[in-house]
Amino acid sequence: MEITMDDAVTSFIKRTQGSSLIVTGWVVVASTAEGAIKGEPLGFTMLGSAGLAEHVKLGLLMSAANVIEGEQLRERLGLPKPPEPPPF
């Protein structure tokens, strides 16, 4: 059975984060040797949900990178994790 990338991403997010979440957009970035051969910048390939404008995809990507950077910095400095946001 084949499913679309939108369905696969939505299913994964709902399984890992909770079925009550509504996925409004997503971006997946992968580094591939084939991408570098085809001339993609730095060998990265970016795929996002079909209806998302490029500036929104870039914003999601930047937001995720900032969260990861902050988590790594807090871990390196030995600071506690921030409290979880409320579930609503």
Side-chain angles (χ1 to χ4, degrees), residues 30-44:
S31 174
T32 62
E34 185 176 326
I37 293 169
K38 290 183 178 177
E40 295 289 334
L42 302 176
F44 288 101

Side-chain angles (χ1 to χ4, degrees), residues 35-54:
I37 293 169
K38 290 183 178 177
E40 295 289 334
L42 302 176
F44 288 101
T45 301
M46 185 171 86
L47 176 67
S49 49
L52 245 48
E54 290 301 314

Side-chain angles (χ1 to χ4, degrees), residues 15-57:
R15 264 194 333 267
T16 59
Q17 301 297 316
S19 61
S20 64
L21 291 179
I22 298 171
V23 179
T24 59
W26 55 269
V27 175
V28 175
V29 177
S31 174
T32 62
E34 185 176 326
I37 293 169
K38 290 183 178 177
E40 295 289 334
L42 302 176
F44 288 101
T45 301
M46 185 171 86
L47 176 67
S49 49
L52 245 48
E54 290 301 314
H55 66 278
V56 177
K57 290 177 190 176

Side-chain angles (χ1 to χ4, degrees), residues 41-87:
L42 302 176
F44 288 101
T45 301
M46 185 171 86
L47 176 67
S49 49
L52 245 48
E54 290 301 314
H55 66 278
V56 177
K57 290 177 190 176
L58 183 58
L60 284 172
L61 184 60
M62 295 292 293
S63 178
N66 288 338
V67 167
I68 292 168
E69 185 178 318
E71 287 176 357
Q72 289 176 342
L73 181 61
R74 277 191 296 278
E75 184 178 313
R76 175 70 70 167
L77 295 175
L79 300 174
K81 285 187 172 185
E84 290 290 322

